[in-house]
Amino acid sequence: MTHPAQPTASHFINGEYVEDTNGTPIPVTYAATGEQIATVYAATPEIVDRALSTAKEAQKAWAKMTGTERGRILRRAADIMRERNHELSVLETYDTGKPLQETLIADATSGADALEYFGGLAGSLTGEHIPMGEDWVYTVREALGLCVGIGAWNYPTQIACWKGAPALACGNSMVFKPSETTPLCALKVAEILIEAGAPAGIYNVIQGMGEVGGALVTDPRVDKVSLTGSVPTGKKVYAAAAEGMKHVTMELGGKSPLIIFDDADIDNAVGGAINGNFYSSGQVCSNGTRVFVQKGIKEKFLARLAERTGNAILGDPQDEATSFGPMVSENQMNIVLGYIEKGKEEGARLICGGKRADMDGYFIEPTVFADVTDDMTIAREEIFGPVMSVLDFDTEEEVIARANDTEFGLSAGVFTNDFSRAHRVIGQLEAGSCFINSYNDAPVEAPFGGVKASGVGRENSKEAIKHFSQVKSVYVRMGDVEAAF
Ligand code: NAD
């Protein structure tokens, strides 16, 4: 019997599902059981071409509509997503393995927030009038044209909307390629946009591995590429986009610092560390995986952390009582288990977890290492799993220098009851998305993105508009033209 997660077809182009079984089959595995629940096929060159030519053509009429008209469609799509939240969350859980407890509040709802927010902004995108004596200049905020979105596997619905909503609000069209590990959810976003009244062809989804992503990025019809993925992929995609002088947004990885001073509220700090390491089983780019704890509260912090981590409920992700799910895939599980072994070998002290959970699927116990030093592999490399490294520190100056000693710069957090210190420290941390006495909040109203190797550009908020549009400037002379001859 066909599993309910099996999509109608692999791709969604020009307003309808399209299949082409000549592409490489991509099995979709439910991470909680290891069972294959669906198959899609990678886009062949014909499918890639069809999606791009459709999107290129559809964009012209879409950009001619008023912003208010485009926005109304996006806001309708947001309403449909909210109405179907339960069904979409169940699918997100099958796609990723994340527990329903999370997906019900963090995925389709976050996607709907983006559609609603950018739908609301669409009618207010304007240029300006610049007086020049009797002459004047006016500017026009124009769409870039055809945008490509490429997604990672941790938030398939959210990423499809965080890229699609601002792109469409600005009058662009999009071809979105989900991660091959989680190909299901973006198809629903495409379907819902059509149901909300979007013209066929403005938002298309095609499947495939890096090769299909590469074909999209290098195609001369494409004006912009927005990638969510790892730093190595980001470097390749950025370089390929540069060849064609395309616009880019790069949302890449991190190894973010979370700094806890000894005057912090311990339970809030522990809560922040749990949210910043174990939500989505640690598969979150902005996670604060280097937890610097000031020496005075170290043991108290570790004891409370171990106690609360022991309350995680591992189990069937479709059961709303489950609070901790599996790794997205067997491959990711093995990568993370490799890092845990490295942590043990390099002398970090295991506080809790540290192994695969004794159950079906790709579960790893939430793991905490203490006495981690800056040079250890687990403190330097992005693990993308439920592995927290706790490091000690003495002074503010020291911790700022150590926190910044990394190629990454996505996020940073500070817990302290001294507000001058909180702002002083955050002001010196090299990171794009920061938190004070909190961790990992990502509302659509706030810009999101990294500095250094963690990326370029910003998603969400009014900032995203700048990355999906460009300004045309027009000088208007009212008098006669003076010339040398
Ligand atoms: P990945 O880099 O392996 O793949 C990301 C996407 O890029 C996939 O769709 C993949 O098929 C595609 N791709 C791979 N090679 C390509 C190429 N040469 N050209 C074009 N496309 C190509 O990342 P992943 O394993 O799917 O996701 C995990 C990574 O994503 C982590 O590093 C994580 O930190 C990062 N991430 C970042 C954010 C953010 O917003 N900053 C959010 C989620 C995940």
Side-chain angles (χ1 to χ4, degrees):
M1 208 180 80
T2 312
H3 192 280
Q6 174 66 46
T8 309
S10 301
H11 319 291
F12 196 95
I13 301 170
N14 203 20
E16 56 189 24
Y17 278 101
V18 174
E19 191 54 280
D20 179 355
T21 54
N22 291 323
T24 311
I26 303 175
V28 187
T29 306
Y30 183 37
T33 59
E35 165 204 9
Q36 186 177 333
I37 54 171
T39 307
V40 296
Y41 296 87
T44 55
E46 292 72 39
I47 290 287
V48 172
D49 181 62
R50 197 159 141 190
L52 289 173
S53 51
T54 298
K56 193 77 184 170
E57 187 54 36
Q59 190 264 333
K60 295 174 200 150
W62 178 243
K64 282 198 184 119
M65 286 167 68
T66 69
T68 304
E69 286 166 337
R70 288 196 299 268
R72 192 176 304 136
I73 291 167
L74 300 183
R75 286 186 295 104
R76 230 183 267 140
D79 290 345
I80 299 173
M81 284 194 87
R82 288 214 175 84
E83 280 158 25
R84 298 219 191 123
N85 183 39
H86 195 273
E87 169 202 328
L88 295 169
S89 303
V90 167
L91 185 67
E92 174 96 18
T93 292
Y94 278 128
D95 215 0
T96 61
K98 291 185 295 181
L100 195 58
Q101 194 187 89
E102 284 187 17
T103 56
L104 281 170
I105 58 166
D107 294 284
T109 52
S110 165
D113 283 354
L115 290 161
E116 186 174 9
Y117 177 86
F118 289 106
L121 278 186
S124 69
L125 306 178
T126 56
E128 61 180 341
H129 169 265
I130 305 164
M132 302 289 300
E134 66 173 18
D135 295 351
W136 45 285
V137 174
Y138 67 93
T139 65
V140 185
R141 188 159 286 280
E142 293 183 334
L144 299 174
L146 167 51
C147 301
V148 160
I150 301 177
W153 42 254
N154 54 350
Y155 284 84
T157 307
Q158 187 186 86
I159 296 171
C161 293
W162 281 20
K163 298 189 188 309
L168 266 46
C170 294
N172 304 286
S173 59
M174 177 161 274
V175 175
F176 185 81
K177 188 199 84 63
S179 163
E180 58 273 31
T181 311
T182 53
L184 306 178
C185 295
L187 291 167
K188 289 286 165 194
V189 174
E191 213 183 280
I192 285 170
L193 278 162
I194 288 294
E195 205 177 314
I202 59 146
Y203 188 88
N204 310 275
V205 174
I206 64 170
Q207 309 292 348
M209 277 74 83
E211 202 187 333
V212 171
L216 291 173
V217 173
T218 49
D219 193 283
R221 285 167 287 189
V222 172
D223 301 292
K224 150 131 201 172
V225 180
S226 176
L227 169 79
T228 296
S230 61
V231 173
T233 303
K235 287 180 180 168
K236 279 188 226 159
V237 171
Y238 202 166
E243 268 307 299
M245 207 58 81
K246 300 179 202 302
H247 296 255
V248 293
T249 297
M250 295 283 149
E251 292 293 350
L252 309 176
K255 189 75 198 175
S256 301
L258 169 55
I259 302 173
I260 299 168
F261 286 96
D262 57 15
D263 66 342
D265 179 290
I266 290 266
D267 258 304
N268 284 335
V270 167
I274 288 173
N275 288 345
N277 282 272
F278 299 142
Y279 201 71
S280 303
S281 299
Q283 302 165 113
V284 180
C285 50
S286 50
N287 272 355
T289 47
R290 289 184 295 143
V291 181
F292 291 93
V293 181
Q294 205 164 16
K295 282 186 181 147
I297 51 158
K298 175 183 166 186
E299 292 309 326
K300 207 166 146 197
F301 175 85
L302 287 172
R304 190 70 185 117
L305 177 64
E307 188 187 333
R308 283 180 58 180
T309 302
N311 296 334
I313 300 171
L314 283 67
D316 174 5
Q318 297 286 1
D319 177 348
E320 272 187 65
T322 297
S323 60
F324 189 86
M327 294 289 94
V328 74
S329 64
E330 188 170 16
N331 183 40
Q332 187 62 16
M333 176 185 72
N334 289 331
I335 291 171
V336 175
L337 289 173
Y339 277 111
I340 290 175
E341 285 317 304
K342 268 246 170 315
K344 292 175 185 167
E345 274 164 40
E346 293 181 3
R349 170 162 61 109
L350 188 65
I351 300 292
C352 58
K355 57 180 191 315
R356 187 174 177 176
D358 186 17
M359 56 203 288
D360 285 346
Y362 312 131
F363 288 85
I364 295 177
E365 294 174 352
T367 297
V368 177
F369 282 109
D371 304 341
V372 177
T373 53
D374 297 347
D375 54 333
M376 288 182 187
T377 310
I378 55 169
R380 300 220 66 82
E381 295 181 16
E382 184 184 45
I383 299 175
F384 225 59
V387 183
M388 185 191 309
S389 294
V390 179
L391 305 95
D392 314 338
F393 76 94
D394 287 303
T395 68
E396 183 180 312
E397 197 184 3
E398 166 210 338
V399 79
I400 291 168
R402 290 170 59 198
N404 286 337
D405 182 20
T406 166
E407 64 164 325
F408 299 107
L410 185 50
S411 289
V414 176
F415 275 82
T416 175
N417 275 328
D418 176 344
F419 264 77
S420 320
R421 173 159 67 191
H423 295 292
R424 187 168 66 231
V425 171
I426 283 291
Q428 294 172 79
L429 293 175
E430 295 160 3
S433 304
C434 299
F435 309 91
I436 292 176
N437 291 335
S438 190
Y439 207 86
N440 262 354
D441 315 73
V444 68
E445 295 85 350
F448 182 81
V451 303
K452 294 159 77 178
S454 292
V456 293
R458 291 293 175 268
E459 297 202 294
N460 287 342
S461 79
K462 287 176 237 162
E463 287 297 313
I465 296 296
K466 296 182 193 156
H467 298 285
F468 277 107
S469 61
Q470 59 198 342
V471 172
K472 174 181 279 173
S473 146
V474 184
Y475 190 103
V476 182
R477 183 173 296 281
M478 301 300 282
D480 295 332
V481 175
E482 275 181 33
F485 50 86

